[in-house]
Amino acid sequence: MINARDVIRMKVPYPSINSNLAVSAHMYICKENKNHKYEYIKCQTLKPYMLTGNQMQHYYDELADISRNPFQRTTRIDCDKLFITNTVKYADALKTTTRPDVCMDLYNAILKELNTDGYTNINIDENILQNLNPLITPI
């Protein structure tokens, strides 16, 4: 079972089925799992263009550190959006292998940044999500 703080890899059809998030798997931190309502926060490797552009208003940058997270490179955690599903379940095999979760300190810092000015809830098309990820199945 995927719980808060767990990190999974999945492909997400956002903003469309042809987007970068749908073509390759990215890491997502589970913010919450309540009665099969999952909320995820997107993570991606920090790239040079992110340092000068304004792609995200709220984010948290985290260095790779196995004692804190499963990231292998410096990672930007997107605190502008929350990805939500309601009628699917996620296999434990989606969890990251080097470490299955983020530490409590990092999790609390992310929640603080999320709640600074609020965030956008994005309901994922669960049928497409399941087509992209065989380990995500209907309840």
Side-chain angles (χ1 to χ4, degrees), residues 55-136:
Q55 295 81 20
M56 296 173 209
Q57 183 177 2
H58 295 283
Y59 56 85
Y60 191 89
D61 290 343
E62 176 76 1
L63 298 174
D65 181 349
I66 195 65
S67 69
R68 292 176 50 87
N69 62 64
F71 310 139
Q72 295 179 348
R73 295 178 187 86
T74 300
T75 298
R76 178 155 289 181
I77 301 163
D78 182 349
C79 297
D80 284 340
K81 298 182 264 326
L82 205 57
F83 293 91
I84 299 170
T85 63
N86 294 289
T87 63
V88 294
K89 59 184 175 181
Y90 298 81
D92 281 341
L94 291 167
K95 288 183 189 177
T96 50
T97 51
T98 55
R99 179 188 169 125
D101 62 2
V102 295
C103 70
M104 189 58 79
D105 181 52
L106 175 55
Y107 181 72
N108 288 333
I110 294 165
L111 293 182
K112 182 179 177 186
E113 188 62 34
L114 267 172
N115 293 319
T116 298
D117 286 325
Y119 47 83
T120 303
N121 287 323
I122 297 167
N123 291 301
I124 301 172
D125 183 320
E126 295 174 18
N127 290 323
I128 297 173
L129 184 70
Q130 291 172 68
N131 288 338
L132 293 172
N133 303 278
L135 296 175
I136 300 174

Side-chain angles (χ1 to χ4, degrees), residues 11-49:
K11 297 176 183 177
V12 173
Y14 178 82
S16 74
I17 187 70
N18 299 317
S19 70
N20 187 36
L21 296 181
V23 174
S24 60
H26 286 76
M27 289 187 189
Y28 292 81
I29 300 168
C30 182
K31 177 185 176 277
E32 194 170 273
N33 169 11
K34 282 190 181 172
N35 300 321
H36 296 292
K37 178 184 180 187
Y38 287 90
E39 299 177 344
Y40 288 102
I41 305 156
K42 179 179 65 93
C43 307
Q44 65 186 83
T45 300
L46 183 63
K47 298 173 184 72
Y49 75 86

